[in-house]
Amino acid sequence: MKRQISLSMFLAAVLGGLAVAQPPAPVPVSVLVLLDGKSIPFQSLAISGQELSGAGVPAGLTLDDLRRIELAPKSPTAVEKPAVSVQLRGGGLILGQAATIADDQCIVAWSHGPPLKLPIDVVRAIRFEPATEYAEFDKAVAAPSAESDRIFLKVDGKFDSLSGLVVGLSAEELTFDLAGEERKVPRGKLFGIAVAQPQAEDDAVRCLLSLAGGSQLGGDLVKLADDVATIELPGGSKLALPWPLVTRVQVSSSRVAFLSDLKPTAVEQAAIVTAPRSWRRDRSVLGKTLTLADRTFEKGIGTHARSLLTFDAGGKYDTFAAVIGIDGETAGKGDCVFTVLGDGQPLVTRRMKGTDP
């Protein structure tokens, strides 16, 4: 027999001091996100080459089957405000308290244990005032010299730069070669170093590891055992990293090609009601992060209407998948039709408004 309780009886019970049990808080879990978006919870994980294993990990699963690895959230720990940022090849960024250069290595002191020792060949730039913006420094990092390092100074609030080859960097001074003559600069005058890049483009990396405190490392996650991750950095050098520092691993599967990474074979654009703006890779047409409802996207295409982009699939792909919508920066405005054509035939046609999810 079901027991009924009236609202007045319930209120009386509460006012009388009855303790009402609360459901237990959900236990944080780690998940493997597959290429189709399905999430698989796991309790432990080991990696050897491509193969994955561990409690909760399906047999035969490989890194190439994943979009990403999401690690269960950990209790936040206090992290010192970074005094230096080191930008790496492959999309890496290390936030630390100090950086030195010796014996072709960049040694970064940070809050997460012993200093990181990185081959200078994987370093793109060192910035000693991470919170200070300087456009010329950003330009030098984006378009580096192949032969010489560019050294940026800041004295009495004014910037200057010179080109040379860095010999060493200590806590006190920078030593560099300027046209065959050794020069020294006090460490306190340094704003940053844009390191020479004989190879202009970054090597593609399989994994981008997000670390506690905001740092990132790009490379190939070749081994995970006993809570130690071994990452092969661009150029072939290897780095051992405590796995508990990792919060997320973004995987670039060889089985997936993002449309924004491909070059369209044809582009037709004609603004209907807005100012003409070109389509953008991985950004909105206004150059901002792609946003749908409360979700943000690292990859995707931003465009206005009317826009027609044509890509050559080349017979290499089995599935096309996408999330579509009108970007959140329109504040709920907008009304358009999305159409996907395959060999000229409509595959999907959907009207979307700015108020739609």
Side-chain angles (χ1 to χ4, degrees), residues 320-350:
F320 173 74
V323 177
I324 62 172
I326 295 181
D327 198 283
E329 67 189 10
T330 65
K333 299 177 181 179
D335 185 352
C336 65
V337 175
F338 287 86
T339 301
V340 180
L341 305 173
D343 296 330
Q345 301 301 311
L347 304 179
V348 176
T349 298
R350 187 170 300 172

Side-chain angles (χ1 to χ4, degrees), residues 33-174:
V33 181
L34 306 183
L35 296 181
D36 62 4
K38 180 181 178 182
S39 295
I40 298 178
F42 66 91
Q43 293 75 51
S44 64
L45 181 64
I47 300 175
S48 179
Q50 274 283 320
E51 302 299 322
L52 308 181
S53 60
V57 179
L61 203 64
T62 70
L63 269 178
D64 232 20
D65 298 321
L66 304 184
R67 286 189 187 181
R68 61 185 180 273
I69 304 170
E70 298 277 3
L71 284 306
K74 304 174 182 67
S75 300
T77 56
V79 178
E80 294 181 58
K81 183 179 179 181
V84 62
S85 65
V86 181
Q87 185 175 334
L88 307 177
R89 300 185 66 85
L93 179 70
I94 302 299
L95 304 176
Q97 275 61 60
T100 57
I101 298 174
D103 300 325
D104 291 328
Q105 285 189 321
C106 179
I107 300 96
V108 185
W110 63 342
S111 303
H112 305 296
L116 280 179
K117 296 182 178 181
L118 302 163
I120 195 65
D121 291 342
V122 305
V123 176
R124 289 184 61 88
I126 304 173
R127 192 177 195 132
F128 298 100
E129 294 187 22
T132 302
E133 297 292 334
Y134 183 42
E136 284 301 314
F137 181 80
D138 295 334
K139 289 179 183 178
V141 177
S145 166
E147 293 85 20
S148 58
D149 307 315
R150 191 168 172 190
I151 300 155
F152 287 81
L153 310 175
K154 185 180 179 184
V155 182
D156 297 330
K158 296 182 179 180
F159 292 96
D160 197 4
S161 70
L162 47 87
S163 295
L165 289 175
V166 172
V167 177
L169 172 65
S170 68
E172 292 77 29
E173 62 186 11
L174 170 76

Side-chain angles (χ1 to χ4, degrees), residues 267-271 274-288 290 300-309 311 325-327 329-330 336-338:
V267 176
E268 298 178 30
Q269 291 189 292
T274 60
R277 293 181 183 273
S278 178
W279 70 284
R280 300 284 295 266
R281 302 176 189 272
D282 307 326
R283 310 293 287 179
S284 74
V285 288
L286 296 181
K288 300 179 181 179
L290 292 167
I301 288 175
T303 186
H304 62 46
R306 175 184 181 266
S307 178
L308 176 62
L309 304 179
F311 296 85
I326 295 181
D327 198 283
E329 67 189 10
T330 65
C336 65
V337 175
F338 287 86

Side-chain angles (χ1 to χ4, degrees), residues 111-282:
S111 303
H112 305 296
L116 280 179
K117 296 182 178 181
L118 302 163
I120 195 65
D121 291 342
V122 305
V123 176
R124 289 184 61 88
I126 304 173
R127 192 177 195 132
F128 298 100
E129 294 187 22
T132 302
E133 297 292 334
Y134 183 42
E136 284 301 314
F137 181 80
D138 295 334
K139 289 179 183 178
V141 177
S145 166
E147 293 85 20
S148 58
D149 307 315
R150 191 168 172 190
I151 300 155
F152 287 81
L153 310 175
K154 185 180 179 184
V155 182
D156 297 330
K158 296 182 179 180
F159 292 96
D160 197 4
S161 70
L162 47 87
S163 295
L165 289 175
V166 172
V167 177
L169 172 65
S170 68
E172 292 77 29
E173 62 186 11
L174 170 76
T175 303
F176 66 100
D177 184 294
L178 181 64
E181 183 178 345
E182 189 173 283
R183 299 283 186 90
K184 295 182 184 295
V185 173
R187 164 65 185 81
K189 294 183 178 181
L190 281 179
F191 174 80
I193 303 169
V195 181
Q197 303 293 316
Q199 181 180 336
E201 297 295 327
D202 273 358
D203 298 317
V205 296
R206 181 187 298 276
C207 300
L208 185 64
L209 287 76
S210 297
L211 311 179
S215 294
Q216 290 186 319
L217 270 177
D220 196 355
L221 181 53
V222 294
K223 186 178 180 181
L224 171 59
D226 301 324
D227 265 353
V228 176
T230 302
I231 301 103
E232 185 174 310
L233 301 172
S237 59
K238 293 183 179 179
L239 177 69
L241 190 75
W243 182 246
L245 291 181
V246 181
T247 60
R248 185 175 191 253
V249 180
Q250 186 73 35
V251 182
S252 296
S253 171
S254 64
R255 296 172 55 194
V256 172
F258 286 100
L259 209 59
S260 61
D261 291 336
L262 304 180
K263 184 178 181 180
T265 57
V267 176
E268 298 178 30
Q269 291 189 292
I272 298 175
V273 295
T274 60
R277 293 181 183 273
S278 178
W279 70 284
R280 300 284 295 266
R281 302 176 189 272
D282 307 326

